[in-house]
Each structure stands twice: as C-alpha cells, then as structure tokens.
Amino acid sequence: MTVAQGCAIPPQKTPTVDLLDAPLPQLLAELRVEIVDSSITDRTFFGAYVERRDGTRILSMPSGRSTFERDTTARMLLAEGLGLDAPPLPSPFEATRV
C-alpha cells in the first residue's frame, strides 16, 4: 500500500459522511477522489493514494480483487492519505509515503 504526495496541497476537510459507513461512491465523490485501475499485478500491492500537482486525487488499485477487498483497501488508503481519524492499519498492511 502506498501513499504518494506530489506536492504540498492544502489540508483536506474532514468528510461529512462517515469514512467506514458511507457508500464508497458517495465518499469518493465528497473527497473528490477517482479510482483508476493499476497495471501492477503483484498480489502484495493493494493500491496507492496519489495527490497530483494539480490537486486531483486518485486511488490506483489493482483490478480483479473482490468487492470487499477493494472497498476496504480504498477506505484504508483514504484515511491514511488524507490524515483522517481512523483505526491504525492492521498487520501485515503498511503504508509508505513517497
């Protein structure tokens, strides 16, 4: 799991919808984050949260994963990347800032 920051971006406001309970499409829309398929096929790669220089945000995630896995990983990446109040990542997951 990777959290990448291309440049300094103003802090994101806390979402008005619940990170863990809101439907993922609603959460992504509020946070202005787009999910794109990653070409990385390594089973140990779960995704990357990227803030581009122009301020757009994407979650780059491998395709072919279960809906549950994709949904859960997206929420963990959002919490980590945006610095939202959320439980720590469970072992063996690790977020790396680049």
Side-chain angles (χ1 to χ4, degrees), residues 1-3 15-31 33-35 46-49 58-61 66-90 93 95 97:
M1 198 175 312
T2 304
V3 178
T16 59
V17 295
D18 188 271
L19 175 69
L20 300 178
D21 292 328
L24 186 58
Q26 181 183 355
L27 182 62
L28 293 171
E30 179 168 333
L31 296 172
V33 177
E34 175 187 4
I35 291 184
F46 286 86
Y49 169 80
I58 64 167
L59 284 176
S60 176
M61 302 182 72
S66 72
T67 301
F68 175 78
E69 184 177 317
R70 194 168 173 102
D71 183 276
T72 303
T73 302
R75 292 171 195 278
M76 288 190 300
L77 286 167
L78 288 170
E80 197 65 31
L82 294 170
L84 302 175
D85 185 29
L89 295 175
F93 292 103
R97 291 192 180 270

